[in-house]
Amino acid sequence: MATRDKVLAHVRDLGYNSHRNTHTVVRAPLQRVGVSIPNEEHFMGMLHGITDALNKQKVQLSFCSRSSCGPTQTLKERLQADGADAALLVLPRESDEELLELCHAGFPFVVIDPRTPLSDDIPTVTAANIGGARAATKHLLSLGHRRIGLLVGDARWCMSIDRLAGYQAVMFATGLPHDPALIRESDFTLEGGYQAAMELLSLPERPTAIFAFSDDMAVGVLHAALELGLSVPRDLSVVGFDDARFASFVTPALTTVHQPRYELGYTGVDVLFRNRAEARLDAIHTSLSTRLVVRHSTGPSPESF
């Protein structure tokens, strides 16, 4: 089976769900796809997926950087500066209005992991953040944890909104109280996770588990626990989100929610080219399933001993 077919089969296995609003247009073949990505190293798996998919299509890739373009340039002008005639936008900083303007200008693009909620007219590819958070929360509850601290990252971001919703849905379904005092907003970084964890772990009734909405923040939690003399997972269980490359190498190895980064990138290209092949301007919203990876940072609640 060809590489593309294997990946698309894997994407279907992961849980490929989409819906669309459709009207037909005619478009010229794509020559170069511009990629706007905030951190190439952090999103390396996604970038590999994008690169492999574009190589299969025999289409060139170019990077679009805000810093290399003038402050008054429109998003379309920035993308076209290197000759791009389509784009993949990863965690774009642009507003919904700017992206709609690009859409209405007829410039083809797909947003991967939208930063903030977007109009239904903008095509997106995302990970199933709600499902991932539900799985993480159920795992902690199954271990007897009831006081679960949350590090939510930027509360305005889609991923934070959805992951919080997943946690709240499980707590509501099981009839357990949701304590706002156990929630801290951070910035998805190791340092931010450390600071937020120090606050939570200094509470008179500290949490027995912390669910961090990124692996970087989860590692910050591990550092805070070590500094406070808490053993993970004996005294505190920790769950992250992303399944970053380092997650299995920290001590203890991190229980986390795996995001299909490679497939997100590959699927973003596939959605872009399916639109072209079908001569459509579609608002396709695609969600790829996440999965919980249980390692050594979670264990029974100390309150259950």
Side-chain angles (χ1 to χ4, degrees):
M1 183 184 294
T3 300
R4 179 177 184 274
D5 294 334
K6 288 181 180 178
V7 172
L8 292 181
H10 184 43
V11 166
R12 287 191 291 272
D13 291 341
L14 284 167
Y16 187 108
N17 300 307
S18 64
H19 61 275
R20 61 178 68 187
N21 300 317
T22 306
H23 58 277
T24 302
V25 299
V26 178
R27 290 178 171 179
L30 298 179
Q31 302 296 322
R32 184 190 296 264
V33 172
V35 176
S36 175
I37 194 164
N39 184 323
E40 293 176 27
E41 182 177 357
H42 186 73
F43 292 94
M44 188 59 68
M46 187 183 295
L47 192 55
H48 284 162
I50 291 171
T51 301
D52 285 352
L54 289 177
N55 285 341
K56 282 290 180 182
Q57 296 287 347
K58 295 182 172 54
V59 171
Q60 294 180 324
L61 176 151
S62 64
F63 287 100
C64 173
S65 171
R66 276 176 170 263
S67 60
S68 63
C69 300
T72 61
Q73 284 185 305
T74 66
L75 176 57
K76 183 177 180 181
E77 288 170 341
R78 292 201 303 270
L79 291 168
Q80 290 180 324
D82 289 327
D85 49 14
L88 296 169
L89 309 176
V90 181
L91 278 174
R93 294 182 179 276
E94 286 75 20
S95 67
D96 187 61
E97 290 74 17
E98 288 179 277
L99 294 174
L100 277 174
E101 183 179 340
L102 187 66
C103 186
H104 296 155
F107 191 91
F109 70 96
V110 173
V111 172
I112 303 177
D113 268 352
R115 188 178 296 256
T116 54
L118 300 177
S119 165
D120 284 342
D121 291 333
I122 296 171
T124 59
V125 177
T126 63
N129 289 298
I130 293 177
R134 288 174 63 94
T137 306
K138 287 180 179 179
H139 172 63
L140 291 173
L141 291 178
S142 74
L143 294 170
H145 296 282
R146 296 298 180 265
R147 288 185 59 78
I148 301 172
L150 294 184
L151 305 189
V152 303
D154 191 324
R156 299 167 298 178
W157 285 25
C158 290
M159 62 181 69
S160 294
I161 294 168
D162 288 347
R163 293 170 193 177
L164 180 60
Y167 160 82
Q168 291 174 329
V170 173
M171 298 297 281
F172 178 80
T174 52
L176 293 171
H178 166 62
D179 187 355
L182 295 179
I183 298 177
R184 291 295 185 276
E185 183 176 346
S186 188
D187 59 0
F188 293 109
T189 66
L190 189 154
E191 295 80 9
Y194 168 83
Q195 293 293 340
M198 290 296 285
E199 292 181 19
L200 287 176
L201 296 175
S202 298
L203 291 172
E205 277 192 90
R206 65 171 179 81
T208 62
I210 293 180
F211 176 21
F213 287 5
S214 78
D215 285 349
D216 285 338
M217 289 196 295
V219 172
V221 177
L222 295 180
H223 280 268
L226 178 65
E227 188 170 306
L228 293 171
L230 299 174
S231 174
V232 176
R234 186 188 65 200
D235 302 318
L236 177 73
S237 286
V238 180
V239 179
F241 206 113
D242 288 332
D243 198 17
R245 294 175 65 184
F246 59 77
S248 60
F249 292 96
V250 296
T251 302
L254 186 64
T255 294
T256 186
V257 177
H258 175 79
Q259 290 203 78
R261 285 271 175 85
Y262 180 92
E263 289 82 2
L264 284 167
Y266 203 106
T267 302
V269 175
D270 183 64
V271 168
L272 187 64
F273 278 86
R274 280 197 298 120
N275 284 346
R276 307 288 296 189
E278 296 171 8
R280 300 175 186 271
L281 179 61
D282 291 18
I284 301 178
H285 305 286
T286 303
S287 176
L288 301 184
S289 292
T290 51
R291 59 182 173 84
L292 182 69
V293 180
V294 179
R295 296 193 178 102
H296 305 306
S297 65
T298 50
S301 168
E303 295 177 350
S304 64
F305 294 151

